[in-house]
Amino acid sequence: MRLSTVPENPAEWVALMFGQVPTPLCDVIIGPMLAKAVIAASSLGIFDALEQGPLAAGGVASRCETDPDATERLLRALSASKYLHESYAPSPRPSLYRLTRASRRWLLAGADKSLHYAMLHRELDMRFMEFGQYVRTGRGQDFHSEMQPEDWYVYHQGQADQARLIAGELVSNLRLPSGATEMLDIGGGHGLYSLALCTHYPHLHARVLDLAIPLSGSLERTKVPAWNQVTFVVADARSIVLAPSSADVVLIANLMHHFDEKTNRCLVQRVAGALKPGGILVAMDLVRRPSSASGGQITTLMDLYFGAVSGAQLWELSDIRAWQEEAGLCPERPVSFRLLPDCKIQIARKPAPTGK
Ligand SMILES: C[S@@+](CC[C@H](N)C(=O)[O-])C[C@H]1O[C@@H](n2cnc3c(N)ncnc32)[C@H](O)[C@@H]1O
């Protein structure tokens, strides 16, 4: 999938066909403004204000405690961009605005598949997108050490929103070693993958290791019994000592793209030592395609982004498999996520000792 300029009438369609539309202007003017408008609407509670039904701009403004005229501009921009429907009424009656199906599904803070915090997370990302500086110098920033304490909440919650969409698919693609009880979730942040696995495997206990742990209560931990099987530990994956032969399963999800090759190779080596014989390392990440010729707008931009924010990159599947093999693990066939095929699950098993 990729973003592109979509014509709205036959004249625009013809102009686009004949290369007469200045598409770069659409990308750099419309793209950032739309992103900022959706993020602002999410943070101001505009979508939530419309949850119970249509409202005029004045009604939205009074619920969100915002300026009525400015709110109307935002509502009109969101309607033109298909985030809301506007029912136009000739003056003096005000237009009414209501949620589209996509906004109701993805943008209400309380929706099952809410991406509310994933939207706010993007504001945080934008602070680090110094692509020009990165490309000039080749040096990335250090996103995790430069975040402010208040940023961590949005970061963990935003990552959690994304994880909720695919945690079920991750679980259905894993077969844990029989009798598995110990899991490490390295860079596990919000811990939702651990929770999903502990729900599925009631005898599993997961330890989530991360630079910062989510605030208790932020993920409604008390309501779900399997949270009792999950513990959070503040740890740096680059240096933490992992007890030998202590884990049945180690998950490294969306962390390798923040590390350079040497760090990843060393991490996989230490993980291999920490696995029990027959245990598995589950590496899950967006991967780089060998060439951008086959598309991949999402992955190539993310690759640039991780370079700029962490001085690292998306890795090719072959890199991850090579680190696993070098560590004495046996990589299995990779699995792709249904809706995001460039996100892969690469499992590798530690061989059990062969009997004499
Ligand atoms: C992109 S998030 C992924 C979170 C979660 N694993 C997921 O897939 O949704 C990367 C996580 O790795 C953590 N992290 C980054 N560097 C780390 C390090 N050196 N040691 C431990 N955790 C780290 C971050 O704090 C963050 O929670």
Side-chain angles (χ1 to χ4, degrees), residues 17-322:
M17 277 286 288
F18 287 96
Q20 298 304 306
V21 177
T23 48
L25 278 182
C26 296
D27 291 344
V28 302
I29 298 178
I30 309 300
M33 285 196 295
L34 177 58
K36 287 277 192 184
V38 176
I39 293 168
S42 295
S43 90
L44 293 166
I46 302 284
F47 299 110
D48 292 323
L50 293 168
E51 181 173 5
Q52 302 307 327
L55 286 175
V60 174
S62 71
R63 287 210 186 161
C64 298
E65 299 180 4
T66 50
D67 177 83
D69 284 347
T71 303
E72 175 127 48
R73 286 180 197 199
L74 176 58
L75 294 171
R76 285 165 54 86
L78 292 170
S79 302
S81 301
K82 313 286 182 213
Y83 280 79
L84 299 176
H85 289 297
E86 177 183 354
S87 308
Y88 174 73
S91 189
R93 288 172 50 213
S95 290
L96 291 180
Y97 298 91
R98 64 189 162 82
L99 297 173
T100 56
R101 194 162 65 142
S103 296
R104 184 170 290 284
R105 166 175 270 217
W106 304 116
L107 295 175
L108 292 178
D112 275 359
K113 298 187 177 199
S114 176
L115 294 176
H116 173 78
Y117 278 101
M119 298 298 111
L120 308 189
H121 185 329
R122 265 53 271 179
E123 184 130 62
L124 177 58
D125 296 346
M126 283 181 198
R127 294 212 308 256
F128 289 86
M129 288 188 196
E130 300 292 351
F131 292 164
Q133 183 185 322
Y134 165 61
V135 172
R136 245 189 323 274
T137 64
R139 279 193 302 279
Q141 304 173 72
D142 185 351
F143 178 82
H144 294 100
S145 70
E146 288 169 36
M147 262 197 291
Q148 300 303 308
E150 64 276 13
D151 296 333
W152 279 94
Y153 179 79
V154 170
Y155 181 44
H156 282 318
Q157 294 284 344
Q159 291 289 326
D161 280 358
Q162 292 159 208
R164 239 176 249 116
L165 300 182
I166 55 173
E169 199 175 341
L170 173 68
V171 173
S172 64
N173 276 300
L174 296 185
R175 295 280 164 276
L176 298 198
S178 72
T181 56
E182 301 304 323
M183 166 173 170
L184 292 178
D185 183 357
I186 300 184
H190 44 77
L192 288 190
Y193 295 127
S194 286
L195 178 71
L197 281 161
C198 286
T199 305
H200 198 75
Y201 296 91
H203 298 294
L204 191 65
H205 173 255
R207 277 204 308 150
V208 178
L209 311 180
D210 203 285
L211 292 175
I213 60 177
L215 299 174
S216 62
S218 61
L219 293 160
E220 301 195 329
R221 285 199 214 144
T222 45
K223 290 195 194 148
V224 182
W227 274 124
N228 294 326
Q229 295 158 246
V230 181
T231 52
F232 289 85
V233 180
V234 174
D236 189 330
R238 293 164 294 191
S239 52
I240 187 174
V241 176
L242 304 173
S245 301
S246 57
D248 298 289
V249 49
V250 177
L251 174 65
I252 306 180
N254 301 311
L255 177 63
M256 287 171 163
H257 57 234
H258 284 299
F259 291 160
D260 62 19
E261 179 162 18
K262 187 168 163 222
T263 308
N264 279 317
R265 183 175 275 129
C266 170
L267 176 61
V268 174
Q269 290 278 349
R270 287 184 294 123
V271 165
L275 283 173
K276 299 177 189 172
I280 54 171
L281 164 58
V282 182
M284 171 182 146
D285 222 315
L286 260 188
V287 297
R288 183 191 253 220
R289 297 183 190 180
S291 149
S292 58
S294 56
Q297 187 185 52
I298 298 174
T299 49
T300 49
L301 284 172
M302 292 302 277
D303 188 38
L304 177 65
Y305 168 80
F306 290 121
V309 304
S310 282
Q313 63 176 82
L314 290 189
W315 295 99
E316 287 188 24
L317 200 54
S318 58
D319 296 315
I320 298 172
R321 292 172 65 90

